[in-house]
Amino acid sequence: MQIVFMNRLSKNSGDSAGGFAQLWIGEEEGEWRLGWRDFGENPESVDSLWYEGSSWNEMLGVYRHELAVKMGEGYRPLIDGVFHEEEALTGRNQEQLKLQYYSEQNVNESIYEELCAWRRKKASSERKAPYLLASNRLLRLLSSFLPHSEEELLQIPGVGEAKASQYGPEILAITSAAERSHSFPLSWVGGEVDEDSFTSWLYKQKEIKYKKQLERLRLRRLLLQGIADGCGIEELKERSASSRREILEAVEELEKEGYIVDSLIDRELESMPSVEQEAVWSAYREMGDMLLKPVLHKVYGEDIASAGSLDLHYERLRLIRIRFRRESEGTQGVVTHPQEQV
């Protein structure tokens, strides 16, 4: 095996120097290996094989995730730039991340719960997903820094002119009612943040990020193999230990990336009458394909929500939408009409 990359990492233990470790990547006949050799404070080393396989992308995903875990534990590399990311952390990004970190350590729980309740009610009245109004991260920032005016509200990362204009008065009615001991602008936050704790928190965020990326990579590999094997959604669910919804979302992403998933669509729609498929296709032409609920009501009527097969109807709508979008965008050449495919 040829070693193509190696880095040394050291770990401080209190006031004295602790152990060190080596991270390495090797290749042999198209097979990648990724390993960690921990020397600790003892002369004997402990080897761990993190990855062995032919996928560079999956190996890189494992590398980033496991390295973030180790750096969160206090290891620091001899060579910087170990995550091989294109985006560098700018000064402005770091300031915003420190605001996020501070807000997680100093959240006003009662205000946070009140903001969550407001979001649920508002999302229901506007028929939107709650996260479109405000993310949990934004609600924590608001409940920690407690803006009392629109000018202060606009200093919170994630709040722009549009959001402040549309929801500002309602948000401020909650946050301005709480007492606070700090002031705006928030330039003082950086001085209140412990750098070592902040650095460990940053690596924890990377760990979470890379874990999600790795899970998506592995799910995609399982789905591609399963679709090639002629599996349906239920079989893919068993293979991947994912929900049917997660599989459908991943299939939509595969289609966007240019993978052909017609065999899966054919299998899932084979029991759906061609007349019903025609009605769905026509509804997409008339109403667009951004929202599924209007199409559902157009095809099946307003009372469909009480039916026990609602999830199945939504699955079929999403599968047909994949083909509809492909034909509309012309990304895969000519696609025949669904009635002709059954």
Side-chain angles (χ1 to χ4, degrees):
M1 180 180 67
Q2 180 180 1
I3 299 297
V4 297
F5 174 80
M6 180 177 288
N7 200 351
R8 177 181 171 125
L9 298 94
S10 59
K11 182 178 182 182
N12 290 333
S13 179
D15 297 330
S16 61
F20 70 95
Q22 288 178 342
L23 174 64
W24 55 268
I25 298 173
E27 185 271 339
E28 184 176 10
E29 296 182 354
E31 290 288 310
W32 295 100
R33 290 180 178 83
L34 168 66
W36 174 268
R37 176 168 294 179
D38 193 343
F39 293 91
E41 298 181 22
N42 302 315
E44 295 184 2
S45 62
V46 178
D47 291 332
S48 299
L49 185 63
W50 286 352
Y51 177 81
E52 184 174 17
S54 58
S55 171
W56 165 261
N57 286 333
E58 188 171 345
M59 186 275 295
L60 189 58
V62 174
Y63 166 88
R64 286 172 169 165
H65 172 252
E66 296 292 345
L67 181 56
V69 172
K70 292 297 184 181
M71 295 185 74
E73 294 173 357
Y75 282 95
R76 297 295 180 263
L78 178 64
I79 303 173
D80 290 330
V82 290
F83 288 108
H84 300 282
E85 293 180 306
E86 294 180 1
E87 298 181 2
L89 188 61
T90 64
R92 179 173 175 80
N93 288 339
Q94 189 168 52
E95 289 177 6
Q96 293 185 350
L97 285 169
K98 284 187 176 180
L99 292 178
Q100 182 187 338
Y101 169 75
Y102 183 91
S103 71
E104 291 186 5
Q105 313 305 313
N106 298 275
V107 65
N108 184 319
E109 293 293 347
S110 62
I111 296 297
Y112 178 74
E113 291 301 325
E114 194 172 348
L115 286 169
C116 287
W118 165 80
R119 181 178 61 178
R120 286 194 298 270
K121 183 177 179 180
K122 197 70 176 177
S124 176
S125 67
E126 296 186 357
R127 296 183 178 181
K128 294 180 179 178
Y131 71 88
L132 293 177
L133 273 69
S135 65
N136 291 340
R137 178 186 301 172
L138 176 55
L139 295 189
R140 282 193 292 269
L141 285 162
L142 292 167
S143 60
S144 175
F145 296 114
L146 301 170
H148 285 187
S149 67
E150 183 174 334
E151 181 184 1
E152 293 178 351
L153 180 62
L154 287 168
Q155 296 179 47
I156 304 296
V159 178
E161 294 284 351
K163 193 181 293 289
S165 174
Q166 187 172 5
Y167 302 117
E170 295 175 63
I171 292 173
L172 290 171
I174 298 173
T175 58
S176 62
E179 293 185 5
R180 71 185 191 199
S181 59
H182 59 264
S183 61
F184 280 74
L186 302 174
S187 54
W188 53 269
V189 172
E192 296 292 321
V193 171
D194 178 76
E195 290 296 334
D196 288 340
S197 299
F198 174 64
T199 299
S200 295
W201 177 84
L202 279 178
Y203 289 128
K204 183 64 179 178
Q205 304 313 300
K206 287 182 179 291
E207 177 187 341
I208 295 170
K209 169 187 172 182
Y210 295 139
K211 183 178 181 181
K212 290 180 179 178
Q213 290 180 353
L214 183 58
E215 288 172 349
R216 286 197 296 269
L217 280 170
R218 287 173 170 168
L219 176 58
R220 186 175 75 167
R221 175 169 53 81
L222 284 170
L223 292 185
L224 288 172
Q225 183 60 55
I227 292 172
D229 293 342
C231 295
I233 292 178
E234 193 61 28
E235 292 168 292
L236 293 174
K237 175 184 172 183
E238 294 176 2
R239 284 193 182 192
S240 64
S242 302
S243 68
R244 293 179 68 93
R245 182 182 182 87
E246 289 171 333
I247 289 171
L248 274 169
E249 290 173 351
V251 168
E252 288 172 335
E253 288 300 315
L254 286 174
E255 175 69 22
K256 288 178 183 177
E257 294 174 14
Y259 292 94
I260 302 299
V261 296
D262 282 339
S263 61
L264 175 66
I265 297 175
D266 289 339
R267 178 163 182 163
E268 293 297 321
L269 297 182
E270 62 184 358
S271 61
M272 184 180 184
S274 59
V275 174
E276 191 176 340
Q277 293 190 48
E278 169 70 25
V280 172
W281 197 273
S282 298
Y284 279 135
R285 282 181 176 152
E286 179 182 343
M287 310 182 75
D289 60 21
M290 184 62 65
L291 301 175
L292 292 175
K293 185 177 288 188
V295 174
L296 180 79
H297 289 164
K298 176 73 175 177
V299 176
Y300 300 104
E302 296 288 335
D303 298 331
I304 188 64
S306 60
S309 57
L310 185 60
D311 288 343
L312 177 61
H313 286 310
Y314 270 119
E315 284 184 5
R316 288 174 169 177
L317 289 181
R318 294 179 73 167
L319 290 168
I320 293 174
R321 184 170 65 178
I322 289 175
R323 281 181 168 160
F324 179 82
R325 286 178 170 175
R326 188 198 305 161
E327 181 181 88
S328 300
E329 296 170 2
T331 56
Q332 296 291 340
V334 178
V335 178
T336 58
H337 198 279
Q339 188 173 0
E340 298 169 349
Q341 295 173 339
V342 175

